[in-house]
């Protein structure tokens, strides 16, 4: 904040005695001594100019400038936020346990298809997650995977699903692929269902591709995979009602 100057024009008492009122008037007329009124006006003008300069000077530090907000685009959820609160509450009421991210090795993904698992494994770890829930003392296990992939990978997934004979239907702006039973050859008593939802999405800032897609897939042993996949897609905001 600038300091306001206070300008005074005192006259020495001795000069006033010698010159008198008429002497002062003569000096003013000659321009040697400014009048008291003009001095006061100049002082006021100087104060206003100083104040104006102080108020209009831009902040050199730029501390008031707002930081630019960068939209990173779609991001994968955590295993605690993958499902809606309603579905999460239902799973907990069934006494199911959230294991967390299990996307390691050759298992722990939302699919058992051996052609699709490598595609999921090759997705960057910050762009995929696979969350497992299981019922203790049973073989009932569900896994849901979410992956943000390039358009090329999305087309590869589509080709594998169609070749494997998955049922398909348009849904939520994308395509839903389903398997009524993915492991019927292992045992007639062991049944697992699988559901994949594929949809085009804008590429996140960290994935510089011409086109991108969201891939949501669930595999559920002794359960229905489709509700898990669709709930996740809605919670993620990629399923349009």
């Amino acid at each position: 904040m600038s300091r306001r100057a206070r300008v005074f024009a005192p006259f020495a008492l001795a000069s006033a005695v010698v010159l008198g009122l008429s002497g002062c008037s003569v000096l003013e007329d000659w321009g040697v001594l400014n009048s008291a009124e003009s001095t006061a006006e100049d002082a006021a003008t100087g104060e206003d100019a100083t104040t104006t300069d102080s108020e209009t000077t831009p902040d050199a530090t730029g501390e008031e400038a707002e930081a630019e907000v960068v939209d990173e685009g779609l991001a994968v959820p955590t295993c605690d936020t993958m499902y809606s609160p309603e579905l999460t509450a239902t799973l907990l009421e069934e006494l199911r346990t959230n294991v967390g991210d299990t996307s390691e090795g050759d298992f722990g993904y939302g699919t058992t298809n051996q052609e699709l698992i490598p595609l999921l494994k090759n997705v960057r770890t910050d762009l995929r997650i696979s969350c497992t829930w299981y019922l203790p003392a049973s073989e009932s296990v569900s896994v849901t995977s979410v992956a943000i992939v390039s358009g090329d990978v999305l087309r590869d997934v589509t080709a594998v699903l169609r070749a494997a004979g998955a049922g398909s239907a348009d849904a939520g702006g994308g395509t839903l692929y389903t398997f009524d039973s993915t492991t019927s050859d292992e045992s007639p008593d062991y049944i697992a269902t699988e559901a994949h939802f594929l949809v085009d999405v804008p590429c996140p800032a960290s994935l510089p591709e011409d086109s991108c897609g969201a891939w949501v897939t669930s595999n559920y042993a002794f359960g229905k995979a489709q509700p898990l996949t669709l709930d996740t897609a809605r919670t993620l905001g990629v399923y349009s009602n």
Side-chain angles (χ1 to χ4, degrees), residues 82 146 197 216 228-240:
M82 174 177 284
V146 172
F197 178 70
V216 182
L228 302 184
T229 292
L230 295 183
D231 181 86
T232 300
R234 290 189 177 98
T235 302
L236 195 60
V238 297
Y239 188 98
S240 57

Side-chain angles (χ1 to χ4, degrees), residues 198-214:
L198 307 180
V199 63
D200 294 327
V201 297
C203 293
S206 62
L207 189 60
E209 297 283 348
D210 294 333
S211 62
C212 294

Side-chain angles (χ1 to χ4, degrees), residues 15-97:
S15 299
V17 173
V18 175
L19 298 176
L21 296 175
S22 59
C24 291
S25 178
V26 171
L27 292 177
E28 290 172 1
D29 292 340
W30 288 353
V32 176
L33 181 66
N34 293 330
S35 67
E37 291 181 358
S38 63
T39 304
E41 291 175 357
D42 292 342
T45 303
E47 289 176 357
D48 292 341
T50 303
T51 302
T52 303
D53 290 342
S54 174
E55 293 175 351
T56 58
T57 301
D59 185 3
T61 62
E63 293 178 353
E64 296 181 359
E66 295 183 358
E68 182 180 356
V69 178
V70 178
D71 184 4
E72 294 294 338
L74 182 65
V76 297
T78 66
C79 287
D80 291 329
T81 62
M82 174 177 284
Y83 300 134
S84 65
E86 294 77 14
L87 180 55
T88 300
T90 298
L91 296 174
L92 292 174
E93 289 173 0
E94 296 174 357
L95 302 181
R96 295 183 177 275
T97 300

Side-chain angles (χ1 to χ4, degrees), residues 119-237:
L119 295 177
L120 267 175
K121 289 175 62 176
N122 289 333
V123 177
R124 279 180 10 211
T125 56
D126 61 319
L127 296 177
R128 64 171 167 84
I129 192 169
S130 298
C131 302
T132 295
W133 286 70
Y134 80 100
L135 183 62
S138 77
E139 294 181 331
S140 181
V141 180
S142 66
V143 187
T144 298
S145 296
V146 172
I148 302 171
V149 299
S150 68
D152 290 339
V153 172
L154 201 67
R155 285 187 285 273
D156 290 341
V157 174
T158 300
V160 172
L161 290 171
R162 289 176 176 173
S168 65
D170 294 337
T175 306
L176 179 67
Y177 294 91
T178 56
F179 292 99
D180 292 334
S181 179
T182 59
T183 54
S184 58
D185 293 338
E186 295 183 7
S187 170
D189 298 325
Y190 185 85
I191 299 175
T193 61
E194 197 164 300
H196 301 253
F197 178 70
L198 307 180
V199 63
D200 294 327
V201 297
C203 293
S206 62
L207 189 60
E209 297 283 348
D210 294 333
S211 62
C212 294
W215 176 14
V216 182
T217 175
S218 298
N219 180 269
Y220 201 164
F222 299 104
K224 297 294 184 181
Q226 182 171 321
L228 302 184
T229 292
L230 295 183
D231 181 86
T232 300
R234 290 189 177 98
T235 302
L236 195 60

